[in-house]
Amino acid sequence: MIKGSILVGAKEMGSGSFFTAVDPATGEQIEPRFASAGAAEVASACALAEGAFADFAATTPEARAGFLDTIADNIAAIGDDLIVRAMQESGLPRARLEGERARTIGQLRLFATTVRQGDWLDATIDPELPDRQPLPRPDLRRVNLAVGPVAVFGASNFPLAFSVAGGDTASAFAAGCPVVVKGHPAHPGTGELVARAIRDAVSACGLPEGTFSYLPGASNELGGALVADPRIKAVGFTGSRAGGIALMKIAAARPEPIPVYAEMSSINPVVLMPAALAARGEPLAPAFVQSLTMGAGQFCTNPGLVIGIAGAALDRFAKAAGEALAGSQATTMLTPGIHAAFDKGVAALASHDKVETVARGCPASGPNQAQGALFQTDAASFLADAALGHEVFGSSSVIVACRDLAEVRQVIAGLEGQLTATLILDEADEADAATLLPVLARKVGRILANGWPTGVEVSHAMVHGGPFPATSDGRTTSVGTLAMARFLRPVCFQNLPAGLLPPALAEANPWHLARRIDGTVARPA
Ligand code: NAP
């Protein structure tokens, strides 16, 4: 049930200031109104999280996995109310949100399985060598421990999978960290339903109430206060570049700076290699446009840049893509603000004197609808103006025509950090592609061949990250089980009495972990 409350541990609170959600399809406000959390609630939630930390971090893998599974069960049990509210608040269609719910639940269960397996602890034992010359080696045992309470900021474009119980929250819980969520103002009702599901799981699993708090609000001050609170030890964020950078600055200016794992902006270059472009440029175009316009293009992996060598084949691709785009319906965007930013970005490209408009999609027929846009420019113009490489969040893309492969390489080398890069290639392109790979690998977190970047698998090998500004820390990922590593830190115990060792490092190996002993992984029988 949606009450518009702030959830600080087990307590429900109101406040003196309120905000409402807006249905982007109608532009109208949606009931009920939501209490805005303020400094007092931030302080209470962080104090409770700090109080919960020791007990929650000490839970066994089985207990913690059970908690993640219970959250998944509780989200499933909300039923259709969750989908209906998310549709109303986001403008996203039912099928997309049902898929996103399945992904969110699957993600929680994947983390539960991973926690049970225990490899993330990276339990490592270098037994003592008392007779070693010239000096004996001490007994050294290392394990990964939770960093402390984590602040999570969800994104508007995934109201379930990147929000209250999304990948940041799931991975922080999996690592043993209490979580304080700053609710996204675009989907507060959806957020509250999920927050209640988590809170019920905390209680059902007998965990300390401060394991989770939910702070709804529509103000930069709220998020800033949360990141500044000394009890918060790391931040997970998905959203705008401006928002991510603002939080990075607050975190860095604290007396005790903390890491911010922000996933921000990416234009996801697609490179059309010459043989593939010549052989199948036209049939590729509809698939490209589908990837570009899906969900009104509101994906962090949306293909916002297409790079190819100028000539008849690229012209045929552009023509076919333009025709496909011209038939694409305008689609409701997530918020009036995102729609306004999209229109502004498209208008800037359309009026740029070095940019040609290849095609626009069908015009809008209702509020906040995105009319797709495809542009073309040449490599020299692209390289001369950094603004042409900035993200326009939505279904907008720029084709960059290059003189030759060397210029393709130059364009890639000039790009900012990206989440993905895609190579469309045939066998005859592989030798040329091999020369681009090292340049691409320096720029991105994931390189795809012959696919489209939208669609991010939640798995063990996935990297949804990349150098700045794709993220604030290109050494990690916000999707997949590796995301847990962001909220863990290694601690080494030297010559500790056996009775003081954590279970993961105890001689009896009570959690039946695979452990690296003197450099060799030993699996329990
Ligand atoms: P957003 O505006 O950055 O908001 C994300 C969260 O951060 C919200 O809870 C917001 O709450 C908070 N926030 C934003 N700026 C802040 C600041 N200066 N200080 C403290 N808190 C701040 O992101 P969004 O609404 O999800 O999407 C808007 C834009 O983000 C899009 O146009 C797109 O460019 C980008 N985006 C990128 C990705 C990606 O993965 N690359 C995904 C989604 C969106 P308050 O507004 O209440 O402060």
Side-chain angles (χ1 to χ4, degrees), residues 418-436:
Q418 306 289 336
L419 293 170
T420 71
T422 302
L423 288 167
I424 303 291
L425 79 171
D426 283 351
E427 212 176 319
D429 292 312
E430 286 184 15
D432 286 341
T435 70
L436 296 182

Side-chain angles (χ1 to χ4, degrees), residues 153-158 162 182-186 217-224 237-244 246-247 250 263-266 298-301 334-335 337-338 341 391-393 419 464 469-470:
F153 292 73
S156 55
N157 61 336
F158 279 88
F162 279 81
K182 152 65 174 77
H184 198 294
S219 84
N220 287 181
E221 290 71 29
L222 169 57
F237 170 95
T238 306
S240 63
R241 189 193 291 209
L247 297 180
I250 292 170
E263 192 218 309
M264 298 172 287
S265 84
S266 184
Q298 299 166 117
F299 289 100
C300 34
T301 50
L334 294 156
T335 67
I338 286 179
E391 181 185 45
V392 177
F393 190 66
L419 293 170
H464 190 61

Side-chain angles (χ1 to χ4, degrees), residues 409-456:
R409 201 174 297 114
Q410 217 183 329
V411 167
I412 295 169
L415 290 174
E416 297 184 305
Q418 306 289 336
L419 293 170
T420 71
T422 302
L423 288 167
I424 303 291
L425 79 171
D426 283 351
E427 212 176 319
D429 292 312
E430 286 184 15
D432 286 341
T435 70
L436 296 182
L437 274 176
V439 193
L440 284 170
R442 285 193 69 184
K443 294 285 169 183
V444 312
R446 178 164 60 110
I447 299 174
L448 308 76
N450 291 328
W452 301 100
T454 38
V456 182

Side-chain angles (χ1 to χ4, degrees), residues 84-107:
V84 170
R85 182 74 193 193
M87 286 167 68
Q88 213 182 5
E89 290 184 331
S90 68
L92 294 170
R94 170 175 285 277
R96 152 72 200 273
L97 287 165
E98 286 177 348
E100 195 181 321
R101 176 177 58 186
R103 174 192 168 131
T104 307
I105 289 170
Q107 184 165 255

